[in-house]
Amino acid sequence: AQSVTQPDIHITVSEGASLELRCNYSYGATPYLFWYVQSPGQGLQLLLKYFSGDTLVQGIKGFEAEFKRSQSSFNLRKPSVHWSDAAEYFCAVGAWGSQGNLIFGKGTKLSVKP
Amino acid sequence: GAVVSQHPSWVICKSGTSVKIECRSLDFQATTMFWYRQFPKQSLMLMATSNEGSKATYEQGVEKDKFLINHASLTLSTLTVTSAHPEDSSFYICSARDPLGPRQETQYFGPGTRLLVL
């Protein structure tokens, strides 16, 4: 069955520290992948996306993610976290040739300590 | 570019009434829109896929007669929660794909509508 796993429900990091949010997927077809961020009571903002090509993708707000096919992973990273990065982060996977349906992970809540 | 709006952002209604939520693509034409539901502290669950000019495709377990979806134009899709009950209280989020954009598979999300049924 198709699934997306974000193993960490809640992560707390200190401001200025590095961050890595994990995402693993199980998908029969060749996937394309997204990371979205959601602030409380808000919709989702696209951080970055991977379709093909270079497996290291750059996004907005200094985020990057690396697609590793052998590990079925698409982890999100940021070298130095800012207090404004505190939010919920969702990994999502889609399949080529589908209607565009996305499967979302359960999300990782990021808290930032001053 | 690729902005999606939703209206209203908040709605409180009495049990048994119907509520309509609008989803608009502001700067592009969206042949496909998606409706999601999100419970507190949970992920997004796809309810239905809305294609302009045709019937929506509902996910398993979603009642078609309760959640009416209309995608009458390339920039507007509506979700009507009919005879709403307290268990329908949730955060409803729409998204849209830009078929002419550089990556048509990308979904752009609206800000969401919080529904509270009393």
Side-chain angles (χ1 to χ4, degrees):
Chain A
Q2 302 158 353
S3 65
V4 178
T5 302
Q6 292 179 248
D8 304 304
I9 297 173
H10 190 182
I11 284 182
T12 300
V13 299
S14 298
E15 190 168 17
S18 63
L19 170 70
E20 181 170 33
L21 301 182
R22 295 182 291 166
C23 173
N24 294 94
Y25 66 90
S26 173
Y27 220 83
T30 302
Y32 50 85
L33 302 113
F34 303 92
W35 274 99
Y36 288 91
V37 60
Q38 184 181 35
S39 296
Q42 302 295 314
L44 274 68
Q45 182 182 21
L46 178 66
L47 282 178
L48 47 76
K49 55 199 173 191
Y50 171 79
F51 291 98
S52 64
D54 193 345
T55 55
L56 183 64
V57 293
Q58 303 296 320
I60 62 172
K61 304 184 179 185
F63 285 93
E64 67 176 26
E66 186 171 12
F67 173 61
K68 293 185 177 180
R69 186 185 301 275
S70 61
Q71 298 178 19
S72 297
S73 69
F74 188 56
N75 294 347
L76 181 71
R77 300 193 293 251
K78 185 169 184 178
S80 178
V81 170
H82 188 262
W83 64 265
S84 60
D85 294 325
E88 189 92 21
Y89 291 80
F90 291 97
C91 178
V93 176
W96 296 102
S98 69
Q99 274 203 94
N101 302 6
L102 294 181
I103 298 175
F104 282 82
K106 294 190 175 182
T108 297
K109 181 178 179 180
L110 173 65
S111 297
V112 181
K113 292 189 299 185
Chain B
V3 179
V4 177
S5 71
Q6 278 183 246
H7 178 80
S9 55
W10 267 96
V11 57
I12 301 174
C13 69
K14 293 182 178 180
S15 184
T17 61
S18 294
V19 175
K20 180 185 283 189
I21 302 171
E22 293 184 348
C23 177
R24 292 182 186 272
S25 56
L26 298 185
D27 51 2
F28 65 98
Q29 293 184 325
T31 52
T32 305
M33 291 184 171
F34 303 87
W35 285 96
Y36 294 84
R37 185 173 180 177
Q38 184 181 31
F39 290 104
K41 301 185 186 299
Q42 295 191 28
S43 188
L44 282 73
M45 299 300 296
L46 179 66
M47 298 175 66
T49 302
S50 168
N51 293 298
E52 188 267 338
S54 63
K55 291 184 178 180
T57 302
Y58 290 81
E59 294 300 299
Q60 191 172 9
V62 177
E63 298 175 60
K64 302 178 183 181
D65 296 331
K66 181 163 189 64
F67 298 100
L68 301 179
I69 291 173
N70 186 295
H71 193 158
S73 78
L74 287 171
T75 59
L76 174 65
S77 176
T78 60
L79 168 67
T80 301
V81 184
T82 62
S83 187
H85 291 284
E87 58 265 29
D88 299 322
S89 299
S90 189
F91 193 53
Y92 293 87
I93 307 177
C94 73
S95 70
R97 297 170 73 190
D98 179 0
L100 300 180
R103 282 296 186 178
Q104 61 177 306
E105 296 82 8
T106 302
Q107 290 187 29
Y108 298 94
F109 284 82
T113 296
R114 188 162 302 282
L115 170 63
L116 178 61
V117 185
L118 302 176

